[in-house]
Amino acid sequence: MSSPQIRTFQVQRSRLGIRRREALTRLGPRYTIGTAGEPLDPVAVFGRQAPLVLEIGSGMGHATAQMAANDPDRDYLAAEVHDPGVANLLLLIEQQQLTNLRIAHGDALELLQQRIRPDSLDAVLAFFPDPWPKLRHHKRRLFQPAHVALMRSRLRPGGLLHTVTDWAHYAKVMHRTLTADPELVNVYPDWAPRQPQRPLTKYEQRAVAEGRSIFELVFRRTH
């Protein structure tokens, strides 16, 4: 029997206000999908044929909603495990009438393994993933060879894997792991400049204000 997959996230039990609880009940069935099950049919989910972008860890969803609004020709699937973030993004979808954004409520790695077909994604985004700074927790990091190989396998040839962190040590690990993958090539000579399509979040603003550098990487899947 295979061992259970180590989670790259920690389940947080957060109390939901009435508005967010109501959003999960009312909007969840319309705008969310599960992370386990049969392979996803994007046309059935979005009602059209369009390039598909997966964001891993959308947080409270403000940047995700902004990206989807600014990029109407592509569809966005946001994978988020925590209920408050899912509920908040559901409200943003409704408020902004975003037809090209849906939420995968659960584990992004499970979603990639079970529901995302190989060679089907236009891009995978992972902005400020948990760095798991303690040595004993490094096994939980998203960016390790097996996870990168899984993400890359779901990209179409030419598709992009785009990640950002404010943890210098984790940035070096990301760079090394991505560079080692035989089917990924760095779009830039080294670190990427800030990508203009990536919204500036409060977290990033705080990190810069506190003196932390921002490390950005953009890798392309080769043919």
Side-chain angles (χ1 to χ4, degrees):
M1 180 182 295
S2 61
S3 58
Q5 178 174 281
I6 296 173
R7 288 177 170 176
T8 59
F9 58 89
Q10 183 175 10
V11 177
Q12 300 173 357
R13 300 190 180 279
S14 304
R15 296 185 64 181
L16 290 172
I18 294 175
R19 186 163 175 258
R20 287 179 178 166
R21 284 203 307 271
E22 186 269 342
L24 287 174
T25 301
R26 181 172 59 86
L27 300 174
R30 181 176 178 184
Y31 294 114
T32 65
I33 65 167
T35 55
E38 297 298 317
L40 186 71
D41 179 0
V43 174
V45 172
F46 292 95
R48 67 171 184 173
Q49 184 76 48
L52 179 60
V53 176
L54 171 66
E55 183 184 17
I56 298 176
S58 53
M60 297 306 289
H62 297 287
T64 309
Q66 186 176 339
M67 287 189 296
N70 293 341
D71 190 15
D73 292 333
R74 296 197 295 179
D75 291 330
Y76 281 74
L77 180 60
E80 177 56 50
V81 71
H82 300 300
D83 290 350
V86 172
N88 199 66
L89 185 51
L90 285 169
L91 291 170
L92 292 172
I93 290 173
E94 181 180 53
Q95 291 164 6
Q96 300 181 32
Q97 299 182 335
L98 297 172
T99 60
N100 64 329
L101 176 56
R102 297 291 186 272
I103 306 168
H105 191 174
D107 186 351
L109 292 178
E110 181 178 66
L111 174 74
L112 283 163
Q113 289 165 343
Q114 296 192 28
R115 306 213 64 192
I116 303 298
R117 299 177 189 273
D119 309 326
S120 65
L121 297 175
D122 203 54
V124 174
L125 314 177
F127 299 152
F128 301 99
D130 195 328
W132 293 103
K134 294 181 179 179
L135 181 61
R136 69 178 184 271
H137 291 155
H138 285 185
K139 62 187 176 183
R140 293 183 176 274
R141 286 176 165 175
L142 176 64
F143 281 84
Q144 47 190 296
H147 299 338
V148 167
L150 175 62
M151 289 186 277
R152 178 257 299 153
S153 72
R154 271 45 180 173
L155 287 170
R156 63 168 178 79
L160 298 179
L161 201 167
H162 181 187
T163 187
V164 187
T165 186
D166 59 327
W167 284 76
H169 178 268
Y170 195 21
K172 293 176 183 177
V173 172
M174 289 175 166
H175 191 288
R176 183 169 63 247
T177 305
L178 291 166
T179 301
D181 189 286
E183 294 183 42
L184 291 174
V185 61
N186 199 340
V187 174
Y188 296 89
D190 198 355
W191 303 103
R194 192 181 196 288
Q195 301 298 289
Q197 72 274 19
R198 183 172 64 80
L200 182 64
T201 63
K202 290 181 180 179
Y203 177 89
E204 185 176 356
Q205 290 175 318
R206 184 169 66 249
V208 172
E210 293 173 356
R212 296 196 297 277
S213 298
I214 304 300
F215 301 90
E216 192 145 357
L217 290 164
V218 182
F219 276 68
R220 177 179 291 113
R221 184 181 181 187
T222 57
H223 291 276

